Amino acid sequence: MMADSDSDSVPEEKFSLKEVLITFQSCLTDNQEILTDSYVNGWRGLVRFMNSLGSIFSFISKDAVNKIQIMVTHQNGENGDKYETLQSMVKYELDNNLVDLQRRAEHPESGCRTLLRLHRTLRWLELFLEKLRTSTEDSKTSVMCTDAYNDSLAQYHAWIIRKAATMAFCALPGRAAFFQTMNVGSTEQVVAMLVEAIPFISKVYEITEELYKQHNLLELP
């Protein structure tokens, strides 16, 4: 999932795990639809998390920033009301033939394609955060991150990107540094916050996965 084009970076703010928890919690409506604005804001927080760890995740975070900007452009466009939820976005774009289903052609920046790339990356971060939650003091973040990557994003990347990614993960800081980055408090407080946050991220992922599966959109070019 490499960037299709360069874009302005998200303004740097201090990462807060609690902020991400609240944002993904607010994603879901009573009807289990996903609010696009909250989803994008949740991703802004995840980008800050990746950026707070230095340049290690830059090949992913820069692409996420690009995708965030594309979604914001859709939201602010003349048909922005059609992008209020992921469900309304999928219906609108499919009903109006705005999605390249077979090959990238007229609509390379459709909301459906753009969000699919964020969706795939969200799975990697969800798996990585879950491994951090269940880790011990001696657990290696490089191993956890690589395992999460291999179980998610790696299948969508070319061999040379996979090689570069796994090499970059070897330079990850230790578990204690990761927990400090969360800006929550003690190790126990971080784990408690992860216990609360991960189910909301997982729920958003699962609903999106099912939505895309129903419309045969999981393999958009």
Side-chain angles (χ1 to χ4, degrees):
M1 190 186 87
M2 297 300 287
D4 298 318
S5 61
D6 293 332
S7 64
D8 295 333
S9 61
V10 172
E12 281 300 321
E13 296 177 28
K14 198 171 186 179
F15 171 72
S16 167
L17 180 61
K18 185 176 182 179
E19 170 204 322
V20 171
L21 162 62
I22 293 171
T23 306
F24 275 100
Q25 186 175 0
S26 68
C27 269
L28 297 174
T29 69
D30 292 340
N31 295 327
Q32 298 293 285
E33 294 190 330
I34 299 173
L35 296 170
T36 307
D37 191 53
S38 294
Y39 187 95
V40 169
N41 283 334
W43 255 105
R44 288 191 175 101
L46 292 175
V47 166
R48 284 195 288 275
F49 170 55
M50 290 188 283
N51 288 346
S52 70
L53 297 166
S55 61
I56 297 170
F57 292 133
S58 61
F59 78 104
I60 294 176
S61 65
K62 287 180 180 178
D63 186 50
V65 168
N66 172 256
K67 298 298 186 283
I68 288 171
Q69 187 54 54
I70 293 172
M71 292 305 300
V72 169
T73 299
H74 285 305
Q75 289 176 283
N76 293 338
E78 60 180 351
N79 294 305
D81 60 315
K82 306 299 185 184
Y83 291 83
E84 183 177 357
T85 68
L86 269 57
Q87 286 79 2
S88 63
M89 174 192 75
V90 168
K91 184 180 188 315
Y92 166 69
E93 291 198 340
L94 288 179
D95 286 351
N96 291 276
N97 298 315
L98 298 175
V99 185
D100 293 333
L101 297 174
Q102 302 300 326
R103 60 184 180 85
R104 291 181 62 190
E106 296 180 8
H107 309 288
E109 295 189 348
S110 66
C112 287
R113 179 185 186 275
T114 299
L115 196 128
L116 176 61
R117 271 56 187 177
L118 290 174
H119 173 68
R120 291 170 176 173
T121 306
L122 186 65
R123 178 60 173 165
W124 164 63
L125 287 171
E126 175 198 348
L127 292 175
F128 183 35
L129 290 173
E130 174 62 19
K131 290 178 184 298
L132 283 172
R133 182 189 73 79
T134 58
S135 64
T136 64
E137 190 174 345
D138 297 329
S139 298
K140 293 185 178 297
T141 56
S142 57
V143 173
M144 291 186 281
C145 189
T146 300
D147 287 347
Y149 176 76
N150 287 337
D151 289 339
S152 55
L153 264 184
Q155 63 183 301
Y156 305 108
H157 286 167
W159 178 86
I160 192 169
I161 299 173
R162 295 198 302 269
K163 185 70 174 178
T166 52
M167 288 180 64
F169 297 156
C170 290
L172 284 173
R175 178 175 178 264
F178 262 96
F179 281 8
Q180 185 175 2
T181 301
M182 303 292 184
N183 290 310
V184 173
S186 66
T187 295
E188 292 74 19
Q189 288 172 309
V190 172
V191 171
M193 185 66 72
L194 286 171
V195 167
E196 193 175 355
I198 291 172
F200 287 108
I201 296 175
S202 298
K203 187 66 174 178
V204 169
Y205 177 85
E206 290 166 7
I207 291 174
T208 307
E209 181 80 1
E210 183 59 29
L211 174 67
Y212 272 62
K213 182 178 180 181
Q214 287 176 1
H215 295 281
N216 297 314
L217 298 175
L218 286 172
E219 301 299 329
L220 287 180

